Amino acid sequence: MKASRLAATGALAASAVVVLSSPAFAHVSVQPEGTAAKGGYAVVDFKVPNERDDASTTKLEVTFPTDHPLASAMPEPMDGWNIKVTKSKLAKPLEVHGEKISEAVSKITWTADGKGIEPGYFEKFPVSVGALPEDADALTFKALQTYSDKEVVRWIEVQKDGAEEPENPAPVLTLSAASADSHSHGSTAEDASDESKTTENTAADTSTASDSSDTTARVLGVVGIVVGALGVAYGVLAGRRRTDA
């Protein structure tokens, strides 16, 4: 009985080790570097894990949403990858900063010119995007992942409310609430002027404080000399009195 129980326990433990040691199923996903605020610009990373033991990922195709087209989508150069940006005409032009945009990026394709993403590794594909829509809470990007053995995994299934996660979900970028500076691209000339004035005022205050400090030090120095002289004079007088006595 004891031997059979030990054997059963050992078998259970072994199966648990197999389950725990098996690789977790990972998806192609998209996450912002920081935040992706509505109406603003952001850098997003498409994270691509290699889920095969005997093949490398050699190509990634990401299709951009057509219901909320993005006027700007600029991929970051990557060593070992050729990048192609495809643009398409918009049925309804976008207006960005008072300028009408008639086309937008519809797809970005990364093709490995080397080993690609080898088994046991993942890679991030950064893209600067904007302006993000103000009337949406999330953006869905459909992706195709191609392996060196020609297998293609289609990450295109859209998550439905209340339903279980699909087997091959499409990457979804969640948008945060718009912030006060989400529409800005950087400091303006006016901001630079204000900063310059602030720097000048700070320098003036520092100079004034320095002058005041120097004056105080000089006054204290004079007082110290006077007090020292009085002390010497008092000592001399006191010595004479003792001698006279």
Side-chain angles (χ1 to χ4, degrees):
M1 287 294 293
K2 288 184 179 181
S4 60
R5 287 179 182 177
L6 288 174
T9 303
L12 181 61
S15 63
V17 169
V18 170
V19 171
L20 291 175
S21 62
S22 62
F25 189 71
H27 308 316
V28 172
S29 60
V30 59
Q31 292 292 334
E33 294 183 5
T35 59
K38 297 179 180 180
Y41 290 74
V43 174
V44 299
D45 294 329
F46 292 93
K47 181 179 178 182
V48 182
N50 190 330
E51 298 177 316
R52 301 293 179 265
D53 296 329
D54 54 357
S56 298
T57 294
T58 56
K59 188 177 182 180
L60 173 68
E61 299 171 76
V62 175
T63 301
F64 282 63
T66 56
D67 53 344
H68 293 97
L70 300 174
S72 175
M74 297 182 293
E76 180 178 319
M78 297 177 60
D79 292 336
W81 296 88
N82 294 318
I83 306 174
K84 180 182 178 181
V85 178
T86 303
K87 294 185 177 182
S88 301
K89 292 288 184 180
L90 298 175
K92 182 180 179 181
L94 296 174
E95 186 170 339
V96 180
H97 303 298
E99 182 181 354
K100 287 189 176 181
I101 306 297
S102 60
E103 63 177 14
V105 173
S106 56
K107 183 171 69 173
I108 298 180
T109 304
W110 291 265
T111 304
D113 58 9
K115 295 181 179 180
I117 307 174
E118 298 182 273
Y121 292 87
F122 76 91
E123 195 155 355
K124 292 181 180 180
F125 298 78
V127 182
S128 174
V129 297
L132 298 172
E134 299 181 1
D135 57 349
D137 295 324
L139 294 177
T140 299
F141 299 84
K142 295 183 178 182
L144 300 182
Q145 181 180 11
T146 302
Y147 285 90
S148 55
D149 60 1
K150 307 304 179 183
E151 178 190 5
V152 178
V153 181
R154 302 168 63 83
W155 304 98
I156 61 173
E157 299 179 60
V158 179
Q159 176 70 51
K160 296 181 179 180
D161 293 339
E164 294 184 0
E165 183 182 39
E167 184 177 355
N168 296 312
V172 176
L173 175 67
T174 302
L175 304 181
S176 60
S179 58
D181 60 349
S182 63
H183 294 77
S184 63
H185 295 269
S187 300
T188 62
E190 185 178 353
D191 293 336
S193 177
D194 291 343
E195 183 177 354
S196 177
K197 290 179 181 178
T198 301
T199 303
E200 290 175 0
N201 292 337
T202 302
D205 293 342
T206 303
S207 177
T208 301
S210 177
D211 292 343
S212 177
S213 177
D214 290 344
T215 301
T216 302
R218 288 171 185 170
V219 171
L220 290 176
V222 172
V223 171
I225 293 172
V226 172
V227 171
L230 290 174
V232 171
Y234 178 80
V236 171
L237 291 175
R240 288 179 177 178
R241 288 177 182 175
R242 293 192 187 97
T243 302
D244 295 341

